[in-house]
Amino acid sequence: MNVDSVIIGAGISGLVAAHRLKKMGRDLLLVESGAHTGGVIQSREVEGFLIECGPNSLRGSHEFLDLVEELNLTGELITADPRAPAYVYADGRLHAVPMSPPALVKTKLISNAAKLRLLREPFVKARRGGGEESVASFVRRRLGAAILERLVEPFLSGVYAGDPEELSLQACFPKLAEFEAESGGILRGALRAAKQSRKDPANQKRSLRPYRLCSFRHGLSALPEALAESLGDSLLTRARIIDISSTGRFKIKIEHMGEIKTITSPALVVSTPAYVAARLLGGVAPEVAALVAEIPYVSIASVPLAYRAGQIARNLDGFGFLAPRGEGLRTLGSIWNSFLFAGRAPEGWVCLTNFIGGATDVGAVKLGDEELIRVVHRDLSKVLGVSGEPLRLPITRYERAIPQYTLGHARRVERIESLLRDIPGLWIAGNYLRGISLGDCIKQAERVASDVNRAILRTVAD
């Protein structure tokens, strides 16, 4: 079987790349080892509750909204109130994250001394010398220890479930590193970038589109399901990769429904998790495989709990809360699903999705269900004033949930991309490279699809 391109892995990256290539008129095959597509994007209806086993929402980026329109999902799209605050639990209470200068002045989340320290940021000397710096080191230098503890650390727990002492600034927040390197600091860099952005007519036009938390009426699974449907016979599930070799064209040997098939193609995209990509690439790109294998992951348990509205003393009026590690909570954070999106809980009930584990609590994912529920319920009782017992919903554990952009990651990715430029027809895509969010994955997959299409067109022209 000969095709223009083969994509391995039907998570969001593989699905988007395949969808885009098909729209470009390419003859492709997307191969998935599992029975369903979407990777960790899994929505489930349980006892009248709609729960997400993986991501709970995504930002309404331009690439995502374009995709929604193409797939005729606009009528299913739902958005959270953009004014809904996110909270941080500190000093025994919840504090809304300040999102404006007046809110920053008024907040009790950080002390007056910490606020004054922020005013020094433009006058802090820029770091000189090469090499990557940890997020913790950068924030302490430029913004102070209190900002790290009360704002940045909880944010990193919510996004990466990571340790700021180990995460690379250049990999996690390349713009901040660029601001300091090119403008001398965060404020100067941000003002300069905003000025340049205002001059770009394309940015002015696209900035009118909504940019807020999004989902679908029946959960995020609507997106991979629609992408899979758009592919038709170009998608093959329950197909195991046996071998990949290359002699000018890639030969992919697969097992499907008891038969061994060989697919040949000039273009191959590997869009699996890093640890799977390392195994698949060993024969055709051993140096890339070795570098990809170095990328660590952390484990996470998603613990959804439901309560009757009367059991919770506090009004659930926001996105949810995050907790700094020094506040006595084991729960990393809680998303208040039934406030954010309609249809997540029956009338009179609330549903909260809670996360535990990560780089600073590696043993949490090994706890039994009852222990996880006990720990999370205890934390929620402390933060929200919960009374009585929760309604238990299915717990999801991910042994390798989130890739960690640890020190050295930015340089590793640059080396991977350099090696791939010397291997014609091979691309990799996924959340372990340059952005872990669903929006990042969609944007990266779009770019990979464009690169693949250009390469195929050049081959045809030659």
Side-chain angles (χ1 to χ4, degrees):
M1 179 181 180
N2 299 307
V3 294
D4 284 345
S5 51
V6 172
I7 302 169
I8 301 175
I12 192 64
S13 297
L15 285 166
V16 171
H19 169 78
R20 184 59 59 225
L21 284 167
K22 196 171 182 72
K23 295 280 285 188
M24 294 171 178
R26 300 273 65 90
D27 177 25
L28 65 97
L29 185 66
L30 173 58
V31 182
E32 166 60 38
S33 62
H36 71 88
T37 62
V40 297
I41 303 175
Q42 298 179 48
S43 310
R44 297 180 60 185
E45 291 192 25
V46 182
E47 298 185 39
F49 295 89
L50 179 59
I51 61 174
E52 301 285 2
C53 300
N56 281 254
S57 61
L58 77 163
R59 288 283 179 185
S61 65
H62 300 304
E63 294 83 6
F64 166 69
L65 294 174
D66 288 343
L67 202 57
V68 167
E69 291 175 4
E70 282 183 30
L71 296 168
N72 296 317
L73 287 174
T74 304
E76 294 298 309
L77 185 70
I78 55 177
T79 59
D81 185 345
R83 298 165 299 177
Y87 291 95
V88 171
Y89 179 77
D91 299 327
R93 55 172 291 204
L94 291 175
H95 303 261
V97 175
M99 300 300 291
S100 66
L104 184 61
V105 170
K106 295 177 182 178
T107 185
K108 301 295 184 183
L109 179 58
I110 56 175
S111 66
N112 289 333
K115 295 171 189 176
L116 290 173
R117 173 66 177 81
L118 281 174
L119 298 177
R120 289 174 46 198
E121 191 279 326
F123 308 102
V124 175
K125 289 185 178 180
R127 175 176 175 257
R128 301 302 176 192
E132 295 178 38
E133 181 180 18
S134 74
V135 174
S137 172
F138 176 85
V139 175
R140 284 196 197 97
R141 279 196 306 106
R142 300 213 64 87
L143 304 174
I147 299 301
L148 172 64
E149 178 187 340
R150 293 295 178 91
L151 288 172
V152 176
E153 180 193 290
F155 174 78
L156 290 174
S157 290
V159 176
Y160 291 92
D163 183 348
E165 305 290 349
E166 300 294 331
L167 293 173
S168 163
L169 176 79
Q170 286 73 14
C172 296
F173 304 108
K175 276 294 182 185
L176 295 184
E178 181 183 309
F179 287 166
E180 182 176 47
E182 296 183 1
S183 303
I186 298 172
L187 181 60
R188 289 194 184 98
L191 292 173
R192 180 181 176 185
K195 183 178 180 180
Q196 292 173 342
S197 180
R198 285 195 295 270
K199 293 179 180 179
D200 187 339
N203 285 343
Q204 292 174 17
K205 182 179 179 181
R206 291 179 71 83
S207 67
L208 299 176
R209 302 187 69 176
Y211 192 83
R212 60 190 71 181
L213 288 178
C214 301
S215 185
F216 298 95
R217 296 186 191 282
H218 301 290
L220 282 181
S221 285
L223 180 60
E225 287 169 2
L227 286 165
E229 185 177 351
S230 78
L231 294 172
D233 293 340
S234 295
L235 170 64
L236 193 66
T237 58
R238 294 189 174 95
R240 184 172 66 90
I241 304 296
I242 297 174
D243 182 62
I244 301 174
S245 60
S246 176
T247 54
R249 291 173 66 89
F250 292 98
K251 295 178 68 174
I252 301 98
K253 188 178 291 186
I254 67 173
E255 180 185 4
H256 180 244
M257 298 182 68
E259 294 184 28
I260 306 297
K261 302 178 181 180
T262 299
I263 307 160
T264 62
S265 174
L268 173 64
V269 180
V270 177
S271 56
T272 64
Y275 47 89
V276 178
R279 175 175 55 80
L280 294 173
L281 293 170
V284 291
E287 288 185 78
V288 173
L291 288 167
V292 168
E294 293 175 358
I295 299 171
Y297 281 69
V298 294
S299 301
I300 287 288
S302 173
V303 186
L305 295 178
Y307 299 91
R308 292 194 178 276
Q311 289 181 258
I312 300 180
R314 193 193 191 285
N315 183 33
L316 302 182
D317 60 350
F319 175 81
F321 74 86
L322 297 166
R325 296 298 79 200
E327 293 296 325
L329 302 185
R330 197 167 180 181
T331 303
L332 293 172
S334 176
I335 298 175
W336 301 341
N337 306 77
S338 51
F339 171 81
L340 286 177
F341 303 117
R344 267 44 183 176
E347 185 70 27
W349 288 82
V350 296
C351 183
L352 317 176
T353 299
N354 313 283
F355 298 94
I356 185 169
T360 59
D361 192 1
V362 295
V365 77
K366 301 292 187 183
L367 298 176
D369 284 4
E370 289 303 315
E371 181 64 10
L372 283 172
I373 291 169
R374 187 189 67 79
V375 169
V376 172
H377 174 64
R378 179 197 64 203
D379 288 347
L380 293 178
S381 298
K382 184 176 181 180
V383 176
L384 302 176
V386 175
S387 60
E389 291 298 309
L391 175 66
R392 292 155 169 76
L393 296 169
I395 292 171
T396 305
R397 294 175 176 79
Y398 292 104
E399 289 286 349
R400 289 181 281 198
I402 304 175
Q404 298 294 284
Y405 294 1
T406 52
L407 289 167
H409 184 83
R411 177 177 289 184
R412 180 188 296 118
V413 170
E414 289 176 359
R415 178 60 179 157
I416 288 170
E417 292 173 344
S418 175
L419 289 168
L420 287 171
R421 284 193 287 271
D422 294 329
I423 307 175
L426 179 63
W427 289 264
I428 61 175
N431 67 349
Y432 59 88
L433 294 169
R434 294 184 180 272
I436 67 167
S437 73
L438 293 180
D440 291 329
C441 291
I442 291 170
K443 187 173 183 177
Q444 183 188 138
E446 297 267 6
R447 185 168 57 247
V448 167
S450 295
D451 290 345
V452 172
N453 190 54
R454 281 194 295 269
I456 292 172
L457 291 174
R458 284 196 301 267
T459 301
V460 172
D462 294 340

